[in-house]
Amino acid sequence: MGRTDCQSPHEADRVLIALNPNAGRGSAAVRAGELAALLRQGGIVAEILGDLEAIGAATREWHTAGRLRALVAVGGDGTVAELLNRTGVGVPLALLPSGTENLLARYLGIERSPGKVADTILAGGRLRLDAGRANGRLFLLMASCGPDSEVVRRLHARRRGPISHLTWAGPIAATLWRYDYPEIRLQGCSGAEAAELEGGGVPHSAQWFFAFNLPCYAGGFRVAPEADGTDGLLDYCALDCRGPLDVLRYAAAARTGRHLEMAGCQSGRLARVRLESARPISYQLDGDFGGQLPLSIEVVPQRATLLVPNREP
């Protein structure tokens, strides 16, 4: 998994706690305060910040000085992605999960307990992970374009504050009823480079496309169960999906990964891919609305440094 045994240097005595006020329906601030108190008991200078500009400036200052032990993301996967995009290579990120899904934290075995997170910051290990980059924006989990990204777009358009699992019901129903499954044109690796990759390069088109850095997807769906965040590649899944019945068939099979055996599914690994379309189609990154096609995706090897418990995820 790319884990290293190196610990933070002794002089790294500062922790910045980045609080997303929209995560956790009010509990996030309380748990962030508990974490700060525990770290101070361990001799760490801990500061809670909620302004992204202030977080970025403080992170750069203390990381450059060698004093930053951790930048803590208090929130969900979107909070982690936002901080990754606002910080440089080598900044140690820790997680205090407070979002709806918390897929990355679950994958890494990071609990919601401030005490456990404090232990990880004080004595845990470091994990170097690849990241994906989509139109210049970094992501750690996955990118997709198709029916699920349309659901995310609809939720993004109506979102006002924190969300729950029930918040997704309306956008999911509207997408199943109204989405028209336009074609996505794919341009991936070719020639000798593609021949070295499992799957031999991407197909020419699909109606639903995924690129995974880690095998994490909401609801426990196993879309790319073999994705490895340390192999320098992204796992892709391209689906021939023509209507809501196809969505339901693929979704049912993806519970166990059986969709990979279906005739309309092509999968493999790639270093980069470009998605285009004749009409506007949305894409999503780590569960957040990203924009509309065209989209260029590539892997960025060992871009992220995460603090993790001293056990294999």
Side-chain angles (χ1 to χ4, degrees):
M1 281 294 300
R3 181 183 300 272
T4 69
D5 293 327
C6 88
Q7 302 292 318
S8 300
H10 180 72
E11 61 271 18
D13 60 350
R14 299 229 169 206
V15 170
L16 295 173
I17 301 174
L19 176 63
N20 179 355
N22 288 328
R25 295 189 175 276
S27 67
V30 174
R31 294 167 60 244
E34 293 175 2
L35 174 61
L38 291 168
L39 291 171
R40 289 166 187 152
Q41 293 174 13
I44 298 294
V45 179
E47 183 176 0
I48 300 174
L49 296 174
D51 179 77
L52 287 173
E53 295 299 326
I55 291 167
T59 298
R60 288 189 294 271
E61 177 183 355
W62 292 115
H63 183 59
T64 300
R67 300 287 298 277
L68 184 66
R69 194 178 193 93
L71 172 61
V72 184
V74 185
D77 298 310
T79 303
V80 178
E82 186 63 39
L83 295 180
L84 180 68
N85 277 277
R86 288 176 174 266
T87 56
V89 176
V91 170
L93 285 171
L95 283 63
L96 178 57
S98 294
T100 304
E101 285 287 347
N102 302 302
L103 298 176
L104 180 61
R106 195 180 309 161
Y107 174 72
L108 296 173
I110 297 173
E111 301 180 30
R112 300 173 70 94
S113 161
K116 295 292 181 64
V117 175
D119 290 342
T120 295
I121 293 171
L122 294 172
R126 293 189 176 196
L127 177 66
R128 296 292 299 276
L129 283 179
D130 303 335
R133 184 159 52 205
N135 282 3
R137 183 165 179 83
L138 297 169
F139 63 91
L140 281 175
L141 303 179
M142 52 81 68
S144 75
C145 181
D148 68 327
S149 62
E150 174 64 11
V151 171
V152 172
R153 184 197 67 79
R154 290 178 179 274
L155 179 67
H156 174 79
R158 63 186 287 184
R159 179 172 180 174
R160 302 291 184 272
I163 63 174
S164 67
H165 288 101
L166 287 177
T167 313
W168 293 91
I172 290 173
T175 298
L176 286 173
W177 181 254
R178 299 174 185 172
Y179 191 63
D180 57 356
Y181 305 89
E183 181 183 65
I184 305 165
R185 297 191 300 271
L186 308 172
Q187 298 177 1
C189 300
S190 60
E193 185 178 16
E196 296 176 359
L197 303 181
E198 180 182 335
V202 298
H204 295 297
S205 67
Q207 288 76 41
W208 203 352
F209 183 84
F210 303 85
F212 279 83
N213 183 50
L214 294 173
C216 305
Y217 193 82
F221 292 101
R222 296 170 54 81
V223 182
E226 301 300 321
D228 181 352
T230 64
D231 65 358
L233 295 170
L234 300 172
D235 283 36
Y236 77 83
C237 179
L239 300 176
D240 182 5
C241 186
R242 308 284 175 164
L245 290 180
D246 286 341
V247 172
L248 297 176
R249 286 193 307 110
Y250 285 127
R255 283 291 183 181
T256 59
R258 290 184 295 106
H259 65 293
L260 297 173
E261 304 168 3
M262 296 173 67
C265 175
Q266 297 188 59
S267 62
R269 295 186 173 92
L270 50 79
R272 66 190 62 84
V273 66
R274 180 171 173 82
L275 281 58
E276 299 177 343
S277 63
R279 46 153 286 187
I281 305 177
S282 300
Y283 66 88
Q284 62 104 349
L285 307 174
D286 289 355
D288 285 336
F289 175 72
Q292 294 184 328
L293 300 189
L295 176 63
S296 295
I297 304 173
E298 62 182 338
V299 67
V300 186
Q302 297 193 2
R303 173 58 177 81
T305 301
L306 297 173
L307 301 187
V308 292
N310 281 320
R311 61 179 184 272
E312 287 299 320

Short mmCIF file of all heavy atoms in Angstrom, two decimals, residues 137-160:
data_model
loop_
_atom_site.label_atom_id
_atom_site.label_comp_id
_atom_site.label_asym_id
_atom_site.label_seq_id
_atom_site.Cartn_x
_atom_site.Cartn_y
_atom_site.Cartn_z
N ARG A 137 -7.83 19.41 -11.57
CA ARG A 137 -8.23 19.24 -10.17
C ARG A 137 -7.92 17.83 -9.70
O ARG A 137 -8.24 16.84 -10.37
CB ARG A 137 -9.72 19.54 -10.00
CG ARG A 137 -10.16 19.45 -8.53
CD ARG A 137 -11.50 20.07 -8.29
NE ARG A 137 -11.90 19.95 -6.88
CZ ARG A 137 -11.52 20.77 -5.91
NH1 ARG A 137 -10.71 21.79 -6.20
NH2 ARG A 137 -11.92 20.60 -4.67
N LEU A 138 -7.30 17.74 -8.52
CA LEU A 138 -6.91 16.45 -7.97
C LEU A 138 -8.09 15.74 -7.31
O LEU A 138 -8.96 16.38 -6.71
CB LEU A 138 -5.80 16.64 -6.93
CG LEU A 138 -4.49 17.23 -7.43
CD1 LEU A 138 -3.59 17.61 -6.26
CD2 LEU A 138 -3.76 16.24 -8.35
N PHE A 139 -8.09 14.41 -7.40
CA PHE A 139 -9.06 13.60 -6.66
C PHE A 139 -8.34 12.36 -6.15
O PHE A 139 -7.35 11.91 -6.74
CB PHE A 139 -10.26 13.22 -7.53
CG PHE A 139 -9.95 12.37 -8.74
CD1 PHE A 139 -9.98 10.99 -8.67
CD2 PHE A 139 -9.64 12.96 -9.96
CE1 PHE A 139 -9.70 10.19 -9.77
CE2 PHE A 139 -9.37 12.18 -11.08
CZ PHE A 139 -9.39 10.80 -10.99
N LEU A 140 -8.83 11.78 -5.06
CA LEU A 140 -8.20 10.60 -4.47
C LEU A 140 -8.98 9.32 -4.73
O LEU A 140 -8.40 8.24 -4.76
CB LEU A 140 -8.04 10.79 -2.96
CG LEU A 140 -6.87 11.65 -2.51
CD1 LEU A 140 -6.91 11.85 -1.00
CD2 LEU A 140 -5.55 11.02 -2.92
N LEU A 141 -10.28 9.41 -4.90
CA LEU A 141 -11.11 8.20 -5.02
C LEU A 141 -11.41 7.86 -6.47
O LEU A 141 -10.93 6.87 -6.99
CB LEU A 141 -12.42 8.38 -4.24
CG LEU A 141 -12.28 8.70 -2.76
CD1 LEU A 141 -13.66 8.88 -2.13
CD2 LEU A 141 -11.49 7.63 -2.03
N MET A 142 -12.20 8.69 -7.12
CA MET A 142 -12.66 8.33 -8.47
C MET A 142 -13.26 9.53 -9.19
O MET A 142 -13.61 10.53 -8.58
CB MET A 142 -13.70 7.22 -8.37
CG MET A 142 -14.86 7.48 -7.42
SD MET A 142 -16.19 8.50 -8.07
CE MET A 142 -16.83 7.39 -9.31
N ALA A 143 -13.35 9.37 -10.50
CA ALA A 143 -14.07 10.32 -11.36
C ALA A 143 -15.05 9.52 -12.19
O ALA A 143 -14.79 8.36 -12.53
CB ALA A 143 -13.09 11.07 -12.27
N SER A 144 -16.19 10.11 -12.52
CA SER A 144 -17.14 9.39 -13.37
C SER A 144 -17.95 10.37 -14.20
O SER A 144 -18.06 11.56 -13.88
CB SER A 144 -18.08 8.51 -12.54
OG SER A 144 -19.06 9.29 -11.88
N CYS A 145 -18.50 9.83 -15.27
CA CYS A 145 -19.34 10.61 -16.17
C CYS A 145 -20.45 9.71 -16.68
O CYS A 145 -20.18 8.62 -17.20
CB CYS A 145 -18.50 11.13 -17.34
SG CYS A 145 -19.41 12.14 -18.52
N GLY A 146 -21.70 10.11 -16.47
CA GLY A 146 -22.84 9.29 -16.87
C GLY A 146 -24.01 9.51 -15.93
O GLY A 146 -24.16 10.59 -15.36
N PRO A 147 -24.85 8.50 -15.73
CA PRO A 147 -26.03 8.67 -14.88
C PRO A 147 -25.71 9.12 -13.46
O PRO A 147 -26.41 9.96 -12.90
CB PRO A 147 -26.68 7.28 -14.90
CG PRO A 147 -26.24 6.67 -16.18
CD PRO A 147 -24.85 7.19 -16.41
N ASP A 148 -24.65 8.57 -12.85
CA ASP A 148 -24.36 8.96 -11.47
C ASP A 148 -23.88 10.40 -11.38
O ASP A 148 -24.19 11.11 -10.42
CB ASP A 148 -23.35 8.00 -10.84
CG ASP A 148 -21.97 8.09 -11.46
OD1 ASP A 148 -21.87 8.35 -12.67
OD2 ASP A 148 -20.98 7.89 -10.72
N SER A 149 -23.13 10.86 -12.38
CA SER A 149 -22.68 12.25 -12.35
C SER A 149 -23.85 13.21 -12.58
O SER A 149 -23.84 14.35 -12.10
CB SER A 149 -21.59 12.49 -13.39
OG SER A 149 -22.05 12.25 -14.70
N GLU A 150 -24.88 12.75 -13.30
CA GLU A 150 -26.08 13.56 -13.46
C GLU A 150 -26.82 13.67 -12.12
O GLU A 150 -27.36 14.73 -11.78
CB GLU A 150 -26.99 12.95 -14.52
CG GLU A 150 -28.34 13.63 -14.68
CD GLU A 150 -28.26 15.08 -15.16
OE1 GLU A 150 -27.16 15.52 -15.57
OE2 GLU A 150 -29.29 15.77 -15.12
N VAL A 151 -26.84 12.58 -11.34
CA VAL A 151 -27.42 12.64 -10.00
C VAL A 151 -26.68 13.67 -9.15
O VAL A 151 -27.30 14.49 -8.46
CB VAL A 151 -27.35 11.24 -9.33
CG1 VAL A 151 -27.76 11.35 -7.86
CG2 VAL A 151 -28.26 10.26 -10.05
N VAL A 152 -25.35 13.64 -9.20
CA VAL A 152 -24.55 14.59 -8.44
C VAL A 152 -24.82 16.02 -8.89
O VAL A 152 -24.92 16.94 -8.07
CB VAL A 152 -23.05 14.25 -8.57
CG1 VAL A 152 -22.19 15.35 -7.92
CG2 VAL A 152 -22.74 12.90 -7.92
N ARG A 153 -24.96 16.23 -10.20
CA ARG A 153 -25.25 17.58 -10.72
C ARG A 153 -26.58 18.08 -10.18
O ARG A 153 -26.71 19.24 -9.76
CB ARG A 153 -25.28 17.57 -12.24
CG ARG A 153 -25.49 18.96 -12.86
CD ARG A 153 -25.93 18.89 -14.30
NE ARG A 153 -27.26 18.32 -14.47
CZ ARG A 153 -28.39 19.01 -14.27
NH1 ARG A 153 -28.34 20.28 -13.89
NH2 ARG A 153 -29.56 18.42 -14.46
N ARG A 154 -27.59 17.22 -10.20
CA ARG A 154 -28.90 17.63 -9.71
C ARG A 154 -28.87 17.95 -8.22
O ARG A 154 -29.49 18.92 -7.76
CB ARG A 154 -29.93 16.54 -9.99
CG ARG A 154 -30.26 16.39 -11.48
CD ARG A 154 -31.25 15.25 -11.72
NE ARG A 154 -31.59 15.13 -13.13
CZ ARG A 154 -32.54 15.82 -13.74
NH1 ARG A 154 -33.28 16.67 -13.03
NH2 ARG A 154 -32.77 15.66 -15.03
N LEU A 155 -28.13 17.14 -7.45
CA LEU A 155 -28.01 17.43 -6.02
C LEU A 155 -27.26 18.74 -5.80
O LEU A 155 -27.64 19.56 -4.95
CB LEU A 155 -27.27 16.28 -5.33
CG LEU A 155 -27.06 16.47 -3.82
CD1 LEU A 155 -28.40 16.43 -3.09
CD2 LEU A 155 -26.13 15.40 -3.26
N HIS A 156 -26.19 18.96 -6.56
CA HIS A 156 -25.41 20.19 -6.44
C HIS A 156 -26.28 21.42 -6.70
O HIS A 156 -26.16 22.44 -6.01
CB HIS A 156 -24.24 20.15 -7.43
CG HIS A 156 -23.45 21.40 -7.50
ND1 HIS A 156 -22.49 21.73 -6.55
CD2 HIS A 156 -23.46 22.41 -8.42
CE1 HIS A 156 -21.96 22.90 -6.87
NE2 HIS A 156 -22.52 23.32 -8.00
N ALA A 157 -27.17 21.33 -7.67
CA ALA A 157 -28.01 22.47 -8.04
C ALA A 157 -29.03 22.82 -6.96
O ALA A 157 -29.43 23.99 -6.83
CB ALA A 157 -28.73 22.18 -9.36
N ARG A 158 -29.42 21.84 -6.15
CA ARG A 158 -30.46 22.09 -5.15
C ARG A 158 -29.93 22.08 -3.72
O ARG A 158 -30.67 22.37 -2.78
CB ARG A 158 -31.55 21.02 -5.28
CG ARG A 158 -31.07 19.62 -5.00
CD ARG A 158 -32.13 18.56 -5.28
NE ARG A 158 -33.19 18.55 -4.29
CZ ARG A 158 -34.19 17.67 -4.28
NH1 ARG A 158 -34.28 16.78 -5.26
NH2 ARG A 158 -35.09 17.70 -3.35
N ARG A 159 -28.63 21.81 -3.54
CA ARG A 159 -28.10 21.65 -2.19
C ARG A 159 -28.08 22.97 -1.44
O ARG A 159 -27.66 24.00 -1.95
CB ARG A 159 -26.68 21.09 -2.24
CG ARG A 159 -26.05 20.91 -0.87
CD ARG A 159 -24.73 20.18 -0.93
NE ARG A 159 -24.14 20.02 0.39
CZ ARG A 159 -23.05 19.32 0.64
NH1 ARG A 159 -22.42 18.69 -0.33
NH2 ARG A 159 -22.59 19.22 1.88
N ARG A 160 -28.52 22.90 -0.18
CA ARG A 160 -28.46 24.03 0.73
C ARG A 160 -28.01 23.51 2.10
O ARG A 160 -28.80 23.07 2.91
CB ARG A 160 -29.83 24.71 0.87
CG ARG A 160 -30.41 25.23 -0.43
CD ARG A 160 -29.62 26.42 -0.98
NE ARG A 160 -30.27 26.98 -2.18
CZ ARG A 160 -30.04 26.54 -3.42
NH1 ARG A 160 -29.19 25.53 -3.62
NH2 ARG A 160 -30.66 27.08 -4.44
#
